[in-house]
Short mmCIF file of all heavy atoms in Angstrom, two decimals:
data_model
loop_
_atom_site.label_atom_id
_atom_site.label_comp_id
_atom_site.label_asym_id
_atom_site.label_seq_id
_atom_site.Cartn_x
_atom_site.Cartn_y
_atom_site.Cartn_z
N MET A 1 -58.88 190.45 -0.38
CA MET A 1 -57.66 190.18 0.38
C MET A 1 -56.75 189.21 -0.36
O MET A 1 -55.53 189.21 -0.17
CB MET A 1 -58.00 189.61 1.75
CG MET A 1 -58.64 190.62 2.67
SD MET A 1 -59.20 189.92 4.22
CE MET A 1 -57.77 189.05 4.80
N TYR A 2 -57.31 188.36 -1.21
CA TYR A 2 -56.55 187.36 -1.94
C TYR A 2 -55.90 187.94 -3.19
O TYR A 2 -54.75 187.64 -3.51
CB TYR A 2 -57.49 186.22 -2.33
CG TYR A 2 -56.85 185.02 -2.96
CD1 TYR A 2 -56.33 184.00 -2.18
CD2 TYR A 2 -56.78 184.87 -4.34
CE1 TYR A 2 -55.76 182.88 -2.74
CE2 TYR A 2 -56.22 183.75 -4.92
CZ TYR A 2 -55.71 182.76 -4.12
OH TYR A 2 -55.14 181.66 -4.68
N VAL A 3 -56.63 188.81 -3.92
CA VAL A 3 -56.17 189.22 -5.25
C VAL A 3 -55.33 190.49 -5.24
O VAL A 3 -54.47 190.66 -6.10
CB VAL A 3 -57.38 189.34 -6.21
CG1 VAL A 3 -58.13 190.62 -6.01
CG2 VAL A 3 -56.95 189.21 -7.65
N GLU A 4 -55.54 191.37 -4.27
CA GLU A 4 -54.78 192.64 -4.28
C GLU A 4 -53.27 192.43 -4.13
O GLU A 4 -52.50 193.08 -4.84
CB GLU A 4 -55.34 193.59 -3.24
CG GLU A 4 -56.74 194.06 -3.61
CD GLU A 4 -56.97 195.53 -3.40
OE1 GLU A 4 -56.07 196.22 -2.90
OE2 GLU A 4 -58.06 195.99 -3.75
N PRO A 5 -52.79 191.54 -3.26
CA PRO A 5 -51.33 191.30 -3.24
C PRO A 5 -50.80 190.72 -4.56
O PRO A 5 -49.66 191.01 -4.95
CB PRO A 5 -51.15 190.30 -2.10
CG PRO A 5 -52.33 190.49 -1.24
CD PRO A 5 -53.45 190.86 -2.15
N LEU A 6 -51.62 189.94 -5.25
CA LEU A 6 -51.19 189.39 -6.54
C LEU A 6 -51.05 190.49 -7.58
O LEU A 6 -50.12 190.49 -8.39
CB LEU A 6 -52.18 188.33 -7.03
CG LEU A 6 -52.37 187.12 -6.13
CD1 LEU A 6 -53.39 186.18 -6.73
CD2 LEU A 6 -51.06 186.41 -5.89
N ILE A 7 -51.97 191.44 -7.55
CA ILE A 7 -51.89 192.56 -8.50
C ILE A 7 -50.67 193.42 -8.18
O ILE A 7 -49.97 193.88 -9.09
CB ILE A 7 -53.19 193.38 -8.47
CG1 ILE A 7 -54.36 192.52 -8.95
CG2 ILE A 7 -53.07 194.62 -9.33
CD1 ILE A 7 -55.71 193.16 -8.80
N THR A 8 -50.39 193.62 -6.90
CA THR A 8 -49.20 194.37 -6.52
C THR A 8 -47.93 193.66 -7.01
O THR A 8 -47.01 194.29 -7.51
CB THR A 8 -49.14 194.55 -5.00
OG1 THR A 8 -50.32 195.22 -4.57
CG2 THR A 8 -47.92 195.33 -4.57
N LYS A 9 -47.91 192.34 -6.87
CA LYS A 9 -46.75 191.57 -7.32
C LYS A 9 -46.59 191.63 -8.84
O LYS A 9 -45.47 191.54 -9.35
CB LYS A 9 -46.88 190.12 -6.85
CG LYS A 9 -45.62 189.31 -7.02
CD LYS A 9 -45.63 188.07 -6.19
CE LYS A 9 -45.25 188.29 -4.77
NZ LYS A 9 -43.88 188.72 -4.54
N SER A 10 -47.68 191.82 -9.56
CA SER A 10 -47.59 191.85 -11.02
C SER A 10 -46.96 193.13 -11.55
O SER A 10 -46.63 193.20 -12.73
CB SER A 10 -48.99 191.69 -11.63
OG SER A 10 -49.74 192.86 -11.48
N LYS A 11 -46.80 194.14 -10.71
CA LYS A 11 -46.16 195.38 -11.16
C LYS A 11 -44.72 195.14 -11.57
O LYS A 11 -44.18 195.81 -12.44
CB LYS A 11 -46.20 196.44 -10.06
CG LYS A 11 -47.57 197.02 -9.82
CD LYS A 11 -47.49 198.06 -8.74
CE LYS A 11 -48.81 198.73 -8.52
NZ LYS A 11 -48.72 199.79 -7.52
N GLU A 12 -44.07 194.18 -10.93
CA GLU A 12 -42.69 193.83 -11.26
C GLU A 12 -42.72 192.57 -12.12
O GLU A 12 -43.00 191.48 -11.63
CB GLU A 12 -41.89 193.58 -9.98
CG GLU A 12 -40.44 193.33 -10.21
CD GLU A 12 -39.69 193.08 -8.90
OE1 GLU A 12 -40.30 193.23 -7.84
OE2 GLU A 12 -38.51 192.72 -8.98
N ASP A 13 -42.46 192.71 -13.40
CA ASP A 13 -42.58 191.59 -14.33
C ASP A 13 -41.26 190.82 -14.38
O ASP A 13 -40.43 191.04 -15.26
CB ASP A 13 -42.97 192.11 -15.72
CG ASP A 13 -43.35 190.98 -16.65
OD1 ASP A 13 -43.40 189.82 -16.19
OD2 ASP A 13 -43.61 191.25 -17.83
N THR A 14 -41.10 189.92 -13.42
CA THR A 14 -39.94 189.05 -13.40
C THR A 14 -40.42 187.60 -13.43
O THR A 14 -41.58 187.32 -13.18
CB THR A 14 -39.09 189.27 -12.13
OG1 THR A 14 -39.88 188.96 -11.00
CG2 THR A 14 -38.60 190.70 -12.04
N THR A 15 -39.52 186.70 -13.72
CA THR A 15 -39.87 185.29 -13.74
C THR A 15 -40.33 184.83 -12.36
O THR A 15 -41.29 184.08 -12.23
CB THR A 15 -38.66 184.45 -14.20
OG1 THR A 15 -38.22 184.94 -15.46
CG2 THR A 15 -39.05 182.99 -14.33
N HIS A 16 -39.67 185.32 -11.33
CA HIS A 16 -40.03 184.93 -9.97
C HIS A 16 -41.44 185.39 -9.62
O HIS A 16 -42.23 184.62 -9.07
CB HIS A 16 -39.03 185.49 -8.97
CG HIS A 16 -39.37 185.19 -7.56
ND1 HIS A 16 -39.36 183.91 -7.05
CD2 HIS A 16 -39.77 185.98 -6.54
CE1 HIS A 16 -39.72 183.94 -5.78
NE2 HIS A 16 -39.98 185.19 -5.44
N SER A 17 -41.78 186.63 -9.95
CA SER A 17 -43.11 187.12 -9.62
C SER A 17 -44.19 186.41 -10.45
O SER A 17 -45.28 186.13 -9.95
CB SER A 17 -43.20 188.64 -9.81
OG SER A 17 -42.97 188.99 -11.14
N ARG A 18 -43.88 186.07 -11.70
CA ARG A 18 -44.84 185.32 -12.51
C ARG A 18 -45.07 183.93 -11.92
O ARG A 18 -46.22 183.47 -11.87
CB ARG A 18 -44.34 185.17 -13.95
CG ARG A 18 -44.59 186.39 -14.81
CD ARG A 18 -44.11 186.13 -16.23
NE ARG A 18 -44.38 187.28 -17.07
CZ ARG A 18 -45.44 187.39 -17.86
NH1 ARG A 18 -46.33 186.42 -17.92
NH2 ARG A 18 -45.62 188.47 -18.59
N ARG A 19 -44.03 183.29 -11.48
CA ARG A 19 -44.19 181.95 -10.90
C ARG A 19 -44.93 182.01 -9.57
O ARG A 19 -45.74 181.13 -9.26
CB ARG A 19 -42.82 181.28 -10.72
CG ARG A 19 -42.23 180.83 -12.02
CD ARG A 19 -40.88 180.20 -11.85
NE ARG A 19 -40.39 179.74 -13.15
CZ ARG A 19 -39.14 179.36 -13.36
NH1 ARG A 19 -38.24 179.40 -12.39
NH2 ARG A 19 -38.78 178.94 -14.55
N THR A 20 -44.67 183.04 -8.79
CA THR A 20 -45.37 183.20 -7.52
C THR A 20 -46.87 183.42 -7.75
O THR A 20 -47.70 182.80 -7.10
CB THR A 20 -44.79 184.39 -6.74
OG1 THR A 20 -43.38 184.19 -6.58
CG2 THR A 20 -45.44 184.52 -5.38
N VAL A 21 -47.20 184.29 -8.70
CA VAL A 21 -48.60 184.55 -9.00
C VAL A 21 -49.26 183.30 -9.59
O VAL A 21 -50.40 182.97 -9.25
CB VAL A 21 -48.73 185.75 -9.96
CG1 VAL A 21 -50.13 185.89 -10.50
CG2 VAL A 21 -48.31 187.02 -9.25
N PHE A 22 -48.54 182.57 -10.43
CA PHE A 22 -49.09 181.35 -11.02
C PHE A 22 -49.38 180.30 -9.95
O PHE A 22 -50.35 179.54 -10.06
CB PHE A 22 -48.15 180.78 -12.08
CG PHE A 22 -48.67 179.54 -12.74
CD1 PHE A 22 -49.68 179.62 -13.69
CD2 PHE A 22 -48.18 178.29 -12.41
CE1 PHE A 22 -50.18 178.48 -14.30
CE2 PHE A 22 -48.67 177.14 -13.01
CZ PHE A 22 -49.67 177.23 -13.96
N SER A 23 -48.58 180.27 -8.89
CA SER A 23 -48.83 179.30 -7.82
C SER A 23 -50.13 179.60 -7.09
O SER A 23 -50.74 178.70 -6.51
CB SER A 23 -47.66 179.28 -6.83
OG SER A 23 -47.66 180.45 -6.05
N TYR A 24 -50.58 180.84 -7.13
CA TYR A 24 -51.85 181.20 -6.52
C TYR A 24 -53.02 181.04 -7.50
O TYR A 24 -54.09 180.57 -7.12
CB TYR A 24 -51.83 182.65 -6.02
CG TYR A 24 -51.08 182.83 -4.73
CD1 TYR A 24 -49.72 183.13 -4.74
CD2 TYR A 24 -51.72 182.70 -3.51
CE1 TYR A 24 -49.03 183.30 -3.56
CE2 TYR A 24 -51.04 182.87 -2.32
CZ TYR A 24 -49.69 183.16 -2.36
OH TYR A 24 -49.00 183.32 -1.19
N LEU A 25 -52.84 181.47 -8.75
CA LEU A 25 -53.95 181.49 -9.69
C LEU A 25 -54.16 180.16 -10.41
O LEU A 25 -55.29 179.80 -10.71
CB LEU A 25 -53.74 182.59 -10.74
CG LEU A 25 -53.78 184.02 -10.23
CD1 LEU A 25 -53.56 184.98 -11.37
CD2 LEU A 25 -55.09 184.30 -9.53
N LYS A 26 -53.10 179.48 -10.76
CA LYS A 26 -53.16 178.17 -11.40
C LYS A 26 -53.81 178.18 -12.78
O LYS A 26 -54.32 177.17 -13.25
CB LYS A 26 -53.88 177.16 -10.50
CG LYS A 26 -53.17 176.94 -9.17
CD LYS A 26 -53.98 176.12 -8.24
CE LYS A 26 -53.28 175.91 -6.93
NZ LYS A 26 -52.91 177.11 -6.23
N GLN A 27 -53.82 179.35 -13.45
CA GLN A 27 -54.31 179.45 -14.83
C GLN A 27 -53.37 180.34 -15.62
O GLN A 27 -53.17 181.50 -15.28
CB GLN A 27 -55.71 180.06 -14.87
CG GLN A 27 -56.81 179.11 -14.48
CD GLN A 27 -58.18 179.70 -14.74
OE1 GLN A 27 -58.32 180.63 -15.54
NE2 GLN A 27 -59.18 179.15 -14.10
N LYS A 28 -52.81 179.77 -16.68
CA LYS A 28 -51.83 180.50 -17.46
C LYS A 28 -52.44 181.73 -18.13
O LYS A 28 -51.80 182.78 -18.20
CB LYS A 28 -51.23 179.58 -18.52
CG LYS A 28 -50.02 180.18 -19.24
CD LYS A 28 -49.52 179.29 -20.36
CE LYS A 28 -48.86 178.05 -19.81
NZ LYS A 28 -48.19 177.27 -20.88
N GLN A 29 -53.68 181.63 -18.61
CA GLN A 29 -54.32 182.76 -19.29
C GLN A 29 -54.51 183.94 -18.33
O GLN A 29 -54.34 185.10 -18.71
CB GLN A 29 -55.69 182.36 -19.86
CG GLN A 29 -55.64 181.31 -20.93
CD GLN A 29 -55.63 179.89 -20.36
OE1 GLN A 29 -55.73 179.70 -19.16
NE2 GLN A 29 -55.48 178.92 -21.23
N ALA A 30 -54.88 183.64 -17.08
CA ALA A 30 -55.09 184.70 -16.10
C ALA A 30 -53.78 185.39 -15.76
O ALA A 30 -53.72 186.62 -15.62
CB ALA A 30 -55.73 184.13 -14.83
N VAL A 31 -52.70 184.62 -15.64
CA VAL A 31 -51.40 185.21 -15.34
C VAL A 31 -50.94 186.09 -16.50
O VAL A 31 -50.45 187.21 -16.28
CB VAL A 31 -50.35 184.10 -15.05
CG1 VAL A 31 -48.97 184.69 -14.88
CG2 VAL A 31 -50.75 183.32 -13.81
N THR A 32 -51.13 185.63 -17.72
CA THR A 32 -50.75 186.43 -18.90
C THR A 32 -51.55 187.72 -18.95
O THR A 32 -50.99 188.80 -19.19
CB THR A 32 -50.99 185.60 -20.17
OG1 THR A 32 -50.26 184.39 -20.07
CG2 THR A 32 -50.55 186.36 -21.40
N GLU A 33 -52.86 187.64 -18.72
CA GLU A 33 -53.71 188.83 -18.72
C GLU A 33 -53.28 189.81 -17.63
O GLU A 33 -53.24 191.03 -17.85
CB GLU A 33 -55.17 188.41 -18.50
CG GLU A 33 -56.15 189.53 -18.47
CD GLU A 33 -56.56 190.02 -19.83
OE1 GLU A 33 -56.18 189.39 -20.85
OE2 GLU A 33 -57.26 191.05 -19.90
N LEU A 34 -52.97 189.27 -16.46
CA LEU A 34 -52.57 190.12 -15.33
C LEU A 34 -51.29 190.89 -15.64
O LEU A 34 -51.22 192.10 -15.41
CB LEU A 34 -52.39 189.26 -14.08
CG LEU A 34 -51.94 189.96 -12.81
CD1 LEU A 34 -52.99 190.97 -12.36
CD2 LEU A 34 -51.72 188.94 -11.70
N PHE A 35 -50.30 190.22 -16.18
CA PHE A 35 -49.01 190.87 -16.41
C PHE A 35 -48.99 191.72 -17.69
O PHE A 35 -48.28 192.72 -17.73
CB PHE A 35 -47.89 189.83 -16.47
CG PHE A 35 -47.44 189.39 -15.11
CD1 PHE A 35 -48.06 188.33 -14.47
CD2 PHE A 35 -46.41 190.03 -14.46
CE1 PHE A 35 -47.65 187.92 -13.22
CE2 PHE A 35 -45.99 189.63 -13.21
CZ PHE A 35 -46.62 188.57 -12.58
N ARG A 36 -49.76 191.36 -18.71
CA ARG A 36 -49.72 192.12 -19.96
C ARG A 36 -50.71 193.26 -20.03
O ARG A 36 -50.41 194.30 -20.61
CB ARG A 36 -49.98 191.18 -21.15
CG ARG A 36 -48.82 190.27 -21.44
CD ARG A 36 -49.01 189.56 -22.75
NE ARG A 36 -47.90 188.62 -22.97
CZ ARG A 36 -47.97 187.61 -23.80
NH1 ARG A 36 -49.05 187.39 -24.51
NH2 ARG A 36 -46.93 186.82 -23.95
N VAL A 37 -51.91 193.08 -19.47
CA VAL A 37 -52.97 194.08 -19.62
C VAL A 37 -53.17 194.90 -18.35
O VAL A 37 -53.20 196.12 -18.38
CB VAL A 37 -54.30 193.39 -20.04
CG1 VAL A 37 -55.41 194.40 -20.14
CG2 VAL A 37 -54.10 192.64 -21.33
#
């Protein structure tokens, strides 16, 4: 329930969505992996 909305948000690669996901994950490497891979 926590991670599926974050993955949905990662489909749109914008600065706002990256910052929103980062506020939940709090790890830069995880955010980069999510949006790039």
Side-chain angles (χ1 to χ4, degrees):
M1 290 174 51
Y2 187 86
V3 79
E4 292 223 357
L6 299 179
I7 296 173
T8 301
K9 191 162 279 295
S10 73
K11 288 181 176 183
E12 185 181 354
D13 191 5
T14 62
T15 305
H16 177 67
S17 62
R18 279 182 179 263
R19 286 179 178 167
T20 305
V21 169
F22 181 75
S23 72
Y24 283 91
L25 294 180
K26 298 172 180 57
Q27 283 189 20
K28 190 185 289 188
Q29 296 86 3
V31 174
T32 304
E33 179 81 7
L34 179 63
F35 279 88
R36 287 191 184 160
V37 178

